[in-house]
């Protein structure tokens, strides 16, 4: 009975203190129209930090780049950290929305790039801003410390580490719990909670293998790095099928392969870019070691004298949700969301937010919320075409504004209230 009363209390708090979301819908549209690439989130960060300051938070800016941290101290109790990521992707938007992005900017190399919020981080920023307003309004109902983090460079998987390296926890209190959420291809209005493995670890490699260049008419005088590269790519596919224990997840992808400039010239080298996704640490070590072994062995088989260059360019751990935290969240989410609390298979995407928790030994949880128009979703379910709906990183991906934003505001605020001390 006490639990039911507490859950009813939380629902009443959410419903009574939820702000008018129209202004946050406008924020979402503005951010969607004006996306910023990883490391360039200056204006997005300013919108978030200005809002936190106006709401009454103590605010720290320019942490690890354009990172923002807002602190609301409200008496004794646990410290709960909520995180939203801010960066967009180098994707040319094709949604046809009236607020679609047409932006092009220079990336870190100086190359011209289209920019789009193809992963929904604009919705993350808008909803955490709204949730900060809700929780500030409801502060007479809870005690503790609330931290709202707006993180840069998640798409590069180095924004959380950059904030940590810049002394994040010298500036703000260390959290007892870290929570985050992510929009995805699910029916808008729904939420998913999953204990254990949620997102994969990600490791990316830049590889250069060498050959011996020469005239295309005289291949016998050369060592062709394109043939070598093709052999490497094909051999890499055997790692998952022949070296990983059946039932264990691993993905090995060659996302880029480039060599040469002319049809009659055998080039001197070839470049590959590889990506690895895993859940299990032992599988991760095995796959990464196998990549090195295969590249080196294929080079030896081709007669290459120069050692291949294999550079780890990014690395982030898997996201493994804390089971006890999930159990507690289910106790408050189930009565609030009812049949909108749904199951889904974990995506093989990756995140770096868990570092914000593991750096201080705190438990963490990320959950998913849906952004697909309910009617479009229901039609796709009936036709068996859900896998054809636009998903994260697609040029056609954009969450429907409502009920997506309202659901996400409720979820992240309810998540915080689940653990903040009740008054």
């Amino acid at each position: 009975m006490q639990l039911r009363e507490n859950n009813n209390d939380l629902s009443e708090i959410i419903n009574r203190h939820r702000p008018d979301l129209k202004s946050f819908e406008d924020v979402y549209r503005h951010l969607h129209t004006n996306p910023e690439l990883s490391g360039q989130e200056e204006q997005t960060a300013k919108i978030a930090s200005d809002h936190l300051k106006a709401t009454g938070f103590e605010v720290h800016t320019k942490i690890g780049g354009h990172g923002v941290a807002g602190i609301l101290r409200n008496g004794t109790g646990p410290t709960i950290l909520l995180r939203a990521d801010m960066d967009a992707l180098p994707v040319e938007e094709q949604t046809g929305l009236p607020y679609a992005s047409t932006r092009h900017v220079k990336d870190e190399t100086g190359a011209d790039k289209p920019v789009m919020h193809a992963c929904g981080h604009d919705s993350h920023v808008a909803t955490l801003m709204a949730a900060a307003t809700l929780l500030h309004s409801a502060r007479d109902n809870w005690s503790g410390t609330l931290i709202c983090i707006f993180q840069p460079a998640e798409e590069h998987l180095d924004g959380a580490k950059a904030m940590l390296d810049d002394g994040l926890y010298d500036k703000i209190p260390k959290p007892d719990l870290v929570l985050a959420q992510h929009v995805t291809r699910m029916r808008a209005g729904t939420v998913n909670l999953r204990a254990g493995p949620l997102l994969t670890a990600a490791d990316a490699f830049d590889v250069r293998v060498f050959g011996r260049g020469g005239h295309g008419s005289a291949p016998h005088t050369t060592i062709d790095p394109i043939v070598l590269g093709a052999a490497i790519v094909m051999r890499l596919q055997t790692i998952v099928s022949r070296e990983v224990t059946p039932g264990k997840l691993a993905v090995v992808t060659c996302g880029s392969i480039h060599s040469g400039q002319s049809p009659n010239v055998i080039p001197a080298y070839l470049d590959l870019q590889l990506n690895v996704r895993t859940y299990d640490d032992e599988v991760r070590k095995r796959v990464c070691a196998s990549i090195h072994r295969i590249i080196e062995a294929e080079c030896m088989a081709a007669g290459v004298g120069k050692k291949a260059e294999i550079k780890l360019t990014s690395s982030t751990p898997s996201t493994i949700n804390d089971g006890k935290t999930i159990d507690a969240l289910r106790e408050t989410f189930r009565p609030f969301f009812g049949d909108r609390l749904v199951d889904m298979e974990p995506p093989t995407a990756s995140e770096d937010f868990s570092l914000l928790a593991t750096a201080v030994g705190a438990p963490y949880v990320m959950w998913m919320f849906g952004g697909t128009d309910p009617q479009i979703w229901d039609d796709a379910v009936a036709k068996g075409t859900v896998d054809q709906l636009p998903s994260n990183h697609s040029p056609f991906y954009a969450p429907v504004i409502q009920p997506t934003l309202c659901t996400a505001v409720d979820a992240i605020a309810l998540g915080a209230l689940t653990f903040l001390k009740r008054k």
Side-chain angles (χ1 to χ4, degrees), residues 173-207:
K174 294 178 181 178
D176 298 302
L177 177 66
V178 177
L179 302 175
Q181 57 183 359
H182 206 298
V183 66
T184 192
R185 183 175 62 190
M186 297 189 335
R187 193 181 196 273
T190 62
V191 178
N192 168 260
L193 291 174
R194 183 183 181 88
L198 178 72
L199 301 174
T200 57
D203 298 282
F205 298 89
D206 282 356
V207 179

Side-chain angles (χ1 to χ4, degrees), residues 244-268:
V244 175
T245 302
K248 296 282 190 179
L249 184 138
V251 179
V252 178
T253 297
C254 177
S256 172
I257 182 168
H258 179 78
S259 184
Q261 303 291 335
S262 173
N264 68 339
V265 177
I266 293 173

Side-chain angles (χ1 to χ4, degrees), residues 154-157 199-205 239-240 244 248-253 274-281 283-285 287-288 291 314-318 347-352 393:
E154 184 279 327
E155 295 293 354
H156 285 181
L157 297 176
L199 301 174
T200 57
D203 298 282
F205 298 89
I239 296 175
V240 175
V244 175
K248 296 282 190 179
L249 184 138
V251 179
V252 178
T253 297
L274 306 176
N275 186 263
V276 175
R277 308 288 173 129
T278 54
Y279 283 125
D280 183 89
D281 280 343
V283 172
R284 185 184 190 186
K285 292 175 186 175
V287 170
C288 291
I291 286 172
S314 68
S315 182
T316 194
S318 54
T348 50
S350 301
E351 257 277 5
D352 64 348
H393 291 215

Side-chain angles (χ1 to χ4, degrees), residues 232-246:
I232 289 171
V233 171
M234 294 303 296
R235 182 74 180 185
L236 289 175
Q237 307 313 304
T238 67
I239 296 175
V240 175
S241 66
R242 289 296 176 267
E243 298 189 41
V244 175
T245 302

Side-chain angles (χ1 to χ4, degrees), residues 302-326:
V304 176
K306 189 172 183 180
K307 186 177 178 64
E309 296 175 356
I310 307 173
K311 180 182 178 183
L312 179 67
T313 56
S314 68
S315 182
T316 194
S318 54
T319 302
I320 311 294
N321 281 339
D322 179 68
K324 290 183 178 179
T325 304
I326 287 287

Side-chain angles (χ1 to χ4, degrees), residues 336-413:
F336 187 92
F337 290 108
D339 60 6
R340 294 188 294 142
L341 189 62
V342 300
D343 293 328
M344 65 168 282
E345 288 298 314
T348 50
S350 301
E351 257 277 5
D352 64 348
F353 107 98
S354 64
L355 296 174
L356 298 173
T358 57
V360 292
Y364 65 85
V365 158
M366 171 179 278
W367 61 82
M368 300 294 173
F369 64 95
T372 304
D373 181 275
Q375 186 60 57
I376 292 173
W377 178 268
D378 292 345
D379 290 346
V381 169
K383 296 174 183 176
T385 57
V386 167
D387 61 342
Q388 297 176 28
L389 295 174
S391 60
N392 303 68
H393 291 215
S394 163
F396 299 99
Y397 185 71
V400 63
I401 293 177
Q402 292 296 7
T404 304
L405 293 188
C406 185
T407 302
V409 171
D410 291 353
I412 197 70

